[in-house]
Amino acid sequence: MIAPDLTTAIDRLGALLDEASVVLPFTGAGISTECGIPDFRSPGGLWTKTQPIPFDQFMASQDMRDEAWRRRFVMDEYFANAKPGRGHRALASLYRVGKVRAVITQNIDNLHQVSGIAQHDIVELHGNTTFATCVACDRRYELDWVKDKYQAAGGRAPHCACNGYIKTATVSFGQAMPEDAMLRAHDLTGSCDLFISIGSSLVVWPAAGFPLRAKQKGARLAIVNREPTEFDEMADLVIRHDIGEVLGPFIAH
Ligand code: NAD
């Protein structure tokens, strides 16, 4: 059912939260737009400006790797300055009181960690863009190091000591999903009684399968997203309002 107005939306979400024992938030790019990080699919979002570089193209060409890093450094203007928004802070409040035990996120911006949720309770389905790894040996690299090397080489992406390619620690289109994160998300969705999808268009698979699975396993499903999603019909509550406005009242002060 679609909440008719913001007040009703907040009341109904509050009631669902009160009735639930295990709340599982599932977040997408929309929770971070108020932090200054554009999403992919809103009008003017990243998708409408530049198509992402698929994994096979990154692996196949030095020019593509150079371009991937050029874009990442341009995006640093957004990522480096972002602070958790009201949505992140509300979820961190629910985490502190034990209502939320873990968060599944499609986001790569590290803002759930910064909001105070422990790393081991954050399931990152699409990785994390605030550091890099070698795709061959998995060695970790900090972005400042990559940037120094990139600039010193006149805009060429550096290689790892093992000669593998260094890439942000994110999952690109066409790249295998992280097995541990997928298994953990699978388990969590089977054992929650309220699943809240927040700021996701729910079109990126396999991530979009989790709300479906939670519902099939008997959890209630709430969707907070200002645009309609394909899953709205099966949801117990649909809230098409701004995430900060909806979740702000759940921040514990
Ligand atoms: P998406 O861009 O496909 O969808 C975001 C949704 O959030 C849209 O439907 C939009 O209407 C809604 N939205 C945006 N701001 C909102 C607000 N303030 N209040 C309510 N709704 C709002 O994002 P997705 O479903 O997460 O999929 C995109 C993929 O892109 C993800 O896999 C993610 O890894 C990646 N991505 C991540 C970030 C990030 O880490 N912050 C940013 C852009 C893209």
Side-chain angles (χ1 to χ4, degrees):
M1 78 104 58
I2 302 176
D5 55 62
L6 181 60
T7 309
T8 314
I10 293 167
D11 285 352
R12 294 214 172 127
L13 183 60
L16 286 183
L17 286 167
D18 285 345
E19 286 162 22
S21 314
V22 183
V23 178
L24 181 58
F26 170 89
T27 61
I31 197 173
S32 298
T33 52
E34 78 168 15
C35 314
I37 304 174
D39 63 10
F40 264 172
R41 291 180 182 77
S42 284
L46 295 176
W47 193 270
T48 58
K49 292 180 188 149
T50 346
Q51 292 280 324
I53 295 173
F55 187 60
D56 58 345
Q57 290 183 23
F58 180 93
M59 295 301 287
S61 126
Q62 177 71 38
D63 285 350
M64 278 299 176
R65 292 189 287 279
D66 299 344
E67 173 61 11
W69 278 108
R70 187 192 66 76
R71 289 186 195 178
R72 177 59 187 83
F73 296 133
V74 169
M75 286 300 294
D76 219 34
E77 173 196 338
Y78 305 110
F79 285 116
N81 299 319
K83 304 268 179 302
R86 288 170 290 176
H88 298 100
R89 286 160 52 214
L91 297 184
S93 297
L94 293 168
Y95 173 76
R96 279 196 295 278
V97 297
K99 199 84 177 170
V100 162
R101 297 177 192 168
V103 173
I104 303 176
T105 188
Q106 300 173 87
N107 292 346
I108 53 175
D109 56 27
N110 210 47
L111 289 178
H112 287 302
Q113 286 88 333
V114 180
S115 77
I117 297 180
Q119 176 70 59
H120 58 80
D121 291 324
I122 302 169
V123 180
E124 292 177 309
L125 296 177
H126 297 157
N128 190 310
T129 194
T130 62
F131 62 98
T133 51
C134 168
V135 294
C137 73
D138 214 30
R139 179 172 168 180
R140 176 176 169 135
Y141 288 88
E142 301 310 319
L143 296 193
D144 285 347
W145 181 91
V146 179
K147 195 171 188 175
D148 284 350
K149 296 279 178 205
Y150 172 89
Q151 285 175 338
R156 303 298 270 175
H159 286 194
C160 177
C162 81
N163 224 23
Y165 304 139
I166 298 172
K167 180 178 170 295
T168 53
T170 50
V171 180
S172 300
F173 285 100
Q175 188 172 3
M177 294 293 285
E179 226 172 278
D180 290 358
M182 288 299 286
L183 279 174
R184 181 104 188 274
H186 185 85
D187 288 348
L188 288 166
T189 47
S191 56
C192 65
D193 55 5
L194 175 61
F195 185 104
I196 314 179
S197 176
I198 303 164
S200 175
S201 57
L202 298 177
V203 298
V204 179
W205 288 80
F210 292 117
L212 188 63
R213 173 174 155 78
K215 185 69 190 161
Q216 284 167 346
K217 285 288 188 180
R220 283 171 159 172
L221 173 63
I223 296 178
V224 186
N225 202 61
R226 65 182 167 214
E227 288 172 308
T229 78
E230 273 186 30
F231 294 84
D232 288 0
E233 248 173 52
M234 72 168 73
D236 298 273
L237 176 62
V238 175
I239 299 178
R240 292 195 187 140
H241 292 278
D242 178 71
I243 291 163
E245 298 289 308
V246 173
L247 293 184
F250 299 98
I251 299 172
H253 293 286

